[in-house]
Amino acid sequence: MKIEAKNLGFRYDGYPWLFRNVDLTIQPGEIVGLKAPSGYGKTSLCKILAGYEKPVEGEVLLNGEPINSKGFHPVQLIFQHPEKAVNPRWKMDKVLNEGWRPDQSLLDLLGIEKEWMTRWPNELSGGELQRFCVARALGPDTKFLIADEMTTMLDAITQAQIWHAVLEIVRERNMGMIVVSHEEKLVQRLCHRVINLDEITSRM
Amino acid sequence: MPILEVEDLSISFKQYTSKWQQETLTVISGLDVVLEEGEILAVVGASGSGKSLLAHAILGILPGNAIQSGTIKYKGETLTSARQEELRGSEISLIPQSVNYLDPLMRVGKQVRASAKSGDPVTLQRDVFEQLHLQEGVENLYPFQLSGGMARRTLLSTAMVSGAKVIIADEPTPGLDPVVIKEALKNFRAFADQGCAVMLITHDIESALTIADKIAVFYAGTTMEIAPVENFKGKGEALRHPYSKALWNALPQNGFTPIPGSQPQSNALPPGCLFAPRCPIATPACGEARPEMRELRDGKVRCIHED
Ligand SMILES: Nc1ncnc2c1ncn2[C@@H]1O[C@H](COP(=O)(O)OP(=O)(O)OP(=O)(O)O)[C@@H](O)[C@H]1O
Ligand code: SF4
Ligand SMILES: [Mg+2]
C-alpha cells in the first residue's frame, strides 16, 4: 500500500507550527528512515500518519484514498515508550489480544514467553513489554508500519532478532515502513533511503 | 575507593501459578558489582537481565513482594532500608527508566527544583535545562505536553540538580538526539571527575564507550564479565565472555548478527552456566555448576573456558 502525505501542517493549539508543507510518498515495500532534531515533530508526524492525530492542514492518503476513520487502522505505529502504550490495568494476554490474536510462530519469532501472559505490565522489563507492542501492531490488516524508536530499549542481540523478524514480515507482505531512530548505524542497516524532516518542511 | 559495593545479591519473586501453587522466579542471583569513586561504570546486557531491578535494589525501592538477599554497601557501610530511605534522592539519585515516574500534575520546572538540595533551585534548574537544550518555556509545561526526549531530559535534570554523590542512570538517553546525548554524557563525566560516581545502565554501548571507565555485562540476572572499555573493539577478540562477544557483534555497525534463542526464564534457570544453552563453545562441563567470577586480564569473567 502506498502512503502519501500531502501538504501536511501541524501545530498544537496556541503553539507555533511544528511543521508545514510536508509532502512525502512511500511505496509498498519501501523502508524509509525519518530524521530530525529532537522535539522537531517526528512523533507528531508519525501520529498523524497513523491516524492518532488530525493534521491542521493537508491530508494523508492510502493508495490515493483518504483513510476510513472507522475500524482497524491499516497504518500501525509502535512507540518509543511501551509503558505508555499499554493499559496498566490489563494483564499481558489481554493487552496482546486487544486487536487480533497473534499465532504462536509470531510470538516465537519475537521471543515472547508464555509465562509473561499472566503478568501485569509493570512486572515486565521495558524490552519484554516492547515485544508485545510489536506483535500487537503486526495484525493481518496492517499495511504500513511506523517504528518510532522501536528498539532503543532493547539489547543489541534482541534488537537484531526483532528487526530480522520484522523485516521478514514486512518483505513477505510487501508492506512499507518508516523507521524513526537516532541510531545512525541502525538506519543505515535497515533503510532504502532517509528523509530529513528539517529539509522538507518549513516552520513558518 | 569503592563508593558502592553490591555483594552476592539475589532477588526473587513468588508468583502464583494457580490458586494453590506458587513458584519462585529468581531474577538476580549471585551478583557482585563495585562502583569506585570518580568512576563511570556502564552496565549493559540482555533486556530483562535485572539491570533495573539492581538499580531499584540499591535505592531500596523494590516492590513489596520481592525477596532480597546479599549486601549492599555505601562508603563501606552496609545499607539497611532505613538508611536507604535517607540516602535516596540526597546522596544517591536514580534516573528511572520509565518516564511514568514524572508527576503528571506538576509543572516540570517545579519538579526539578524540588530535587535541588542546596543552592538556588531556580538557577540550578534553568542552567541544567539550558545545558540539555530544553527551551525556556519548557519549565512551565506538564509532563503530557513533553515529547519523549524532553521527558527523559527532565528526568536527567532532576538527578543533576540533586547534589547526589552517586547517580544511577537507568537508560537515560534513548530517543535523544546525538547532540543532547553528548551533553548529557559530558555532564556525567564532569560529575564523576569531581569524585562522585555514575552507574550508567544502557543499551547504547557505543555512547557508553565514549565516557565509561569499565563495562559490566549482564545476562540472566548476573554479571558475565567486567571489562575495561578498551576491550570493546574489532570483532570483540579482547572480550572474555562468549555472551559479551555475541552482544558486541549484534550491533548494527558490527554485523547485526543475532545469535539464536533467548535468555533463560527466571522459573527455569539451567543448573550450570546460565549461557550454556546458547553458547557456541559449551562443553558438558559447562552444565555442571555455575561458573564463579574470576580475574582474567585486568577484568573479570564468569566462564570456565576462556583464557
Ligand atoms: N514485579 C515483578 N514480578 C515478577 N517479575 C519481575 C518483576 N519486575 C521485574 N521482573 C522480572 O525481572 C527480570 C529483570 O527485570 P529488569 O526490569 O530488571 O530488566 P532490565 O535488565 O532492566 O531489562 P531492560 O533492559 O529491558 O530494561 C525480568 O525478567 C522481569 O520480567
Ligand atoms: S562456561 Fe561454558 S557455556 Fe558458559 S560461557 Fe563459558 S564456555 Fe560458554
Ligand atoms: Mg530496565
Side-chain angles (χ1 to χ4, degrees):
Chain A
M1 184 174 282
K2 177 170 84 173
I3 193 167
E4 284 169 288
K6 289 218 186 281
N7 200 31
L8 284 187
F10 186 73
R11 69 203 287 176
Y12 289 96
D13 263 350
Y15 288 88
W17 288 100
L18 272 177
F19 49 80
R20 285 186 96 175
N21 311 113
V22 170
D23 284 303
L24 51 88
T25 304
I26 297 168
Q27 301 292 341
E30 232 191 342
I31 302 175
V32 176
L34 181 67
K35 282 192 3 192
S38 180
Y40 213 90
K42 291 183 298 282
T43 299
S44 304
L45 177 61
C46 293
K47 282 184 179 165
I48 293 171
L49 294 175
Y52 283 87
E53 198 81 69
K54 283 213 179 331
V56 177
E57 295 176 344
E59 59 180 346
V60 178
L61 302 177
L62 283 179
N63 280 344
E65 306 277 338
I67 303 165
N68 180 352
S69 57
K70 288 189 203 78
F72 186 84
H73 203 290
V75 181
Q76 285 286 304
L77 172 59
I78 302 170
F79 290 101
Q80 179 178 341
H81 297 295
E83 71 274 15
K84 283 185 164 180
V86 301
N87 186 333
R89 279 178 223 86
W90 287 0
K91 291 222 170 157
M92 293 317 298
D93 51 357
K94 190 164 175 196
V95 170
L96 180 68
N97 297 314
E98 191 180 351
W100 71 297
R101 229 162 237 288
D103 55 22
Q104 192 57 43
S105 67
L106 181 65
L107 301 186
D108 292 342
L109 205 57
L110 292 170
I112 294 176
E113 304 286 341
K114 257 203 197 69
E115 207 231 323
W116 299 344
M117 297 297 177
T118 54
R119 299 214 201 153
W120 301 103
N122 68 359
E123 294 174 339
L124 290 176
S125 80
E128 291 162 351
L129 204 52
Q130 187 64 307
R131 297 171 209 231
F132 283 87
C133 297
V134 176
R136 199 173 56 171
L138 285 172
D141 297 324
T142 302
K143 300 289 188 273
F144 197 92
L145 199 64
I146 304 180
D148 184 359
E149 300 286 354
M150 175 175 87
T151 51
T152 350
M153 301 296 232
L154 300 170
D155 66 84
I157 293 175
T158 313
Q159 279 204 23
Q161 282 179 336
I162 290 190
W163 277 115
H164 286 285
V166 168
L167 289 179
E168 197 177 307
I169 292 165
V170 163
R171 280 192 198 121
E172 198 180 278
R173 301 196 203 158
N174 198 31
M175 287 161 59
M177 176 159 75
I178 289 180
V179 179
V180 182
S181 172
H182 287 101
E183 280 175 81
E184 197 84 31
K185 307 281 168 38
L186 181 68
V187 172
Q188 281 168 14
R189 270 277 168 193
L190 297 170
C191 300
H192 303 126
R193 63 184 168 102
V194 176
I195 296 174
N196 284 305
L197 188 56
D198 47 340
E199 285 169 14
I200 62 158
T201 169
S202 58
R203 300 188 100 179
M204 306 280 288
Chain B
M1 255 243 308
I3 191 160
L4 197 67
E5 295 158 274
V6 176
E7 287 163 13
D8 200 21
L9 179 72
S10 294
I11 297 174
S12 53
F13 291 96
K14 285 239 186 299
Q15 181 171 291
Y16 283 92
T17 43
S18 69
K19 208 163 172 189
W20 297 280
Q21 276 197 325
Q22 248 190 2
E23 63 175 9
T24 305
L25 306 176
T26 306
V27 289
I28 288 188
S29 53
L31 186 140
D32 296 304
V33 75
V34 176
L35 188 61
E36 305 274 344
E37 265 173 16
E39 178 183 79
I40 299 181
L41 172 74
V43 173
V44 306
S47 128
S49 62
K51 303 182 297 295
S52 295
L53 288 176
L54 167 65
H56 295 178
I58 293 170
L59 273 292
I61 53 167
L62 287 171
N65 62 335
I67 307 153
Q68 179 185 341
S69 68
T71 50
I72 301 176
K73 291 183 190 160
Y74 176 68
K75 293 185 172 165
E77 169 202 355
T78 301
L79 293 181
T80 59
S81 46
R83 187 74 182 119
Q84 278 174 318
E85 203 178 318
E86 282 168 20
L87 296 173
R88 200 151 66 221
S90 59
E91 304 257 311
I92 307 179
S93 181
L94 172 71
I95 303 175
Q97 177 171 12
S98 165
V99 292
N100 287 348
Y101 281 84
L102 288 170
D103 180 345
L105 301 176
M106 203 196 278
R107 294 182 196 274
V108 297
K110 195 167 166 201
Q111 298 194 36
V112 172
R113 285 173 217 155
S115 305
K117 294 280 162 1
S118 63
D120 174 36
V122 178
T123 320
L124 285 169
Q125 174 255 314
R126 296 210 170 132
D127 285 352
V128 69
F129 271 29
E130 196 183 325
Q131 274 169 18
L132 296 178
H133 303 255
L134 286 168
Q135 281 157 355
E136 256 169 58
V138 174
E139 61 183 47
N140 293 320
L141 300 179
Y142 288 96
F144 77 92
Q145 294 169 305
L146 304 181
S147 73
M150 287 155 83
R152 208 155 273 297
R153 278 177 279 166
T154 304
L155 288 172
L156 267 162
S157 306
T158 308
M160 288 183 176
V161 303
S162 69
K165 293 276 175 295
V166 175
I167 291 183
I168 316 268
D170 193 359
E171 299 284 355
T173 56
L176 300 185
D177 67 60
V179 188
V180 177
I181 293 186
K182 240 178 147 173
E183 250 345 285
L185 296 181
K186 230 168 64 193
N187 258 312
F188 286 148
R189 190 66 260 176
F191 176 81
D193 291 344
Q194 294 162 25
C196 301
V198 180
M199 183 182 287
L200 172 64
I201 300 172
T202 185
H203 288 303
D204 185 356
I205 298 180
E206 203 174 29
S207 293
L209 292 180
T210 64
I211 56 149
D213 300 293
K214 283 189 291 196
I215 301 211
V217 182
F218 274 42
Y219 185 79
T222 197
T223 27
M224 290 291 150
E225 170 164 2
I226 295 177
V229 284
E230 307 82 67
N231 292 162
F232 287 79
K233 60 167 192 277
K235 293 216 170 338
E237 297 88 347
L239 294 172
R240 296 157 193 76
H241 199 280
Y243 174 71
S244 315
K245 295 182 193 197
L247 186 66
W248 177 245
N249 289 315
L251 288 174
Q253 59 271 37
N254 300 347
F256 210 36
T257 1
I259 52 164
S262 57
Q263 189 170 241
Q265 284 303 296
S266 39
N267 61 348
L269 295 178
C273 172
L274 295 171
F275 188 58
R278 299 170 81 187
C279 183
I281 58 166
T283 62
C286 302
E288 280 162 20
R290 232 16 92 72
E292 294 288 322
M293 198 71 158
R294 63 188 169 94
E295 311 265 337
L296 182 64
R297 290 183 268 118
D298 58 299
K300 288 182 179 174
V301 68
R302 203 186 278 280
C303 168
I304 55 173
H305 288 308
E306 284 296 311
D307 48 28

